[in-house]
Amino acid sequence: MNNARDPGRLGTRRGPGLRPPRSSLWAPAAGACGLAALLLATACSGTGDGGAGAGAGAGAGSGTGGAGAGSGTGGAGGDLGLTTGSGTGGGTGAGGDDCGSVLGGIARDFMISHPDFEDALGDDPGIVQPQLGADGKPVYAGNPTTPTTTGQASFDQWYRDVPGVNLPLPLSITLTPGAGGVYTYDNSAFFPIDDQGFGNEGNPHNYHFTLELHTQFRYEGGEVFTFTGDDDLFTFINGRLAIDLGGVHGAESQTVDLDARAAELGISIGNTYPLDFFFAERHTSESNFRIDTTIGCFTPPPPPE
């Protein structure tokens, strides 16, 4: 969605009817290792959706991800740097976590007539409360509404299946590796459910949908997560709101530096935490969606209790 914006911001605001740029599990990589000959250097290779990694070393070792190697000499990682492997020397190696590069989630298609879609324009931070709900969904914070939403009843339909109101569709996106250990998904024409659900309703694209993704990651220290896009984006880490890009607007960006906000998010190095991602596309005529992160290993969340 969009309208006129400060030229210093990403994208430009649209006039009426126009705007500028703004699941279900991770695909794990699997490792396979050869047995070592006595008193000789061992070799281990891993294969996965992203490619293959190889490493060699003496003694016991295990490894995960971009290095593709254990405690011996590191090998080369696969195309996505997300393979896992283990090796044995005099002892026994252990496989790494099931890292993945594919984010699986659920898109929900809405009709243009929904009261929260197409009509309002503008930035609208504070649509959701800072803590994720007990059901794993954002909690509405309007009192009783916000500038671009019409109330709790309508908002509660965004990320829940409601027959006759929305249609759920599986959707996945794939992160690819880049320089500096950054993994990226970038799509300046993010219309993943064109001609699906309720259809395009006479528009060139299906502009009215939401998307939710759920995963978890091990906090190693130094990670950042950036989203750039439009319209709404709410990212929760450890159940706490880390990115709030609420509203119907052109492409905007926010970054969360995990080290800088560790105390606020309640996270500490060496532990595993959930990351919950909620997006909404609510207005014609463009849709932008970009993730950049140095979190190099995401794993599927535990099943609901």
Side-chain angles (χ1 to χ4, degrees), residues 184-272:
T184 297
Y185 176 84
D186 185 13
N187 191 339
S188 60
F190 187 64
F191 302 111
I193 60 169
D194 275 2
D195 302 310
Q196 301 180 59
F198 296 115
N200 297 358
E201 298 184 279
N203 292 310
H205 298 287
N206 188 332
Y207 293 104
H208 307 96
F209 62 91
T210 64
L211 170 64
E212 65 173 301
L213 306 168
H214 302 277
T215 185
Q216 62 182 10
F217 68 98
R218 181 179 173 87
Y219 175 36
E220 302 289 357
E223 293 95 329
V224 296
F225 184 96
T226 298
F227 178 81
T228 302
D230 57 289
D231 292 303
D232 312 84
L233 186 280
F234 315 112
T235 299
F236 293 81
I237 294 175
N238 194 28
R240 304 179 189 190
L241 186 62
I243 293 178
D244 181 359
L245 287 173
V248 184
H249 48 68
E252 298 181 1
S253 181
Q254 275 190 23
T255 295
V256 54
D257 181 323
L258 271 62
D259 288 354
R261 296 179 63 183
E264 175 189 348
L265 298 173
I267 60 177
S268 56
I269 291 173
N271 293 315
T272 298

Side-chain angles (χ1 to χ4, degrees), residues 92 98 104 182:
T92 302
D98 291 331
V182 177

Side-chain angles (χ1 to χ4, degrees), residues 91-134:
T92 302
D97 292 334
D98 291 331
C99 294
S101 61
V102 178
L103 290 71
I106 297 292
R108 291 179 175 86
D109 188 27
F110 288 79
M111 289 182 283
I112 195 171
S113 59
H114 189 280
D116 286 344
F117 288 75
E118 196 60 32
D119 292 334
L121 299 174
D123 290 339
D124 195 5
I127 292 175
V128 301
Q129 295 184 16
Q131 189 75 34
L132 203 61

Side-chain angles (χ1 to χ4, degrees), residues 42-113:
T42 62
C44 171
S45 67
T47 61
D49 293 340
S62 65
T64 301
S71 58
T73 301
D79 291 343
L80 288 176
L82 291 171
T83 60
T84 62
S86 62
T88 58
T92 302
D97 292 334
D98 291 331
C99 294
S101 61
V102 178
L103 290 71
I106 297 292
R108 291 179 175 86
D109 188 27
F110 288 79
M111 289 182 283
I112 195 171
S113 59

Side-chain angles (χ1 to χ4, degrees), residues 134-160:
D135 60 353
K137 308 288 186 178
V139 178
Y140 187 65
N143 185 28
T145 64
T146 74
T148 68
T149 64
T150 58
Q152 181 174 349
S154 294
F155 177 81
D156 283 351
Q157 298 170 345
W158 288 21
Y159 306 109
R160 294 172 175 86

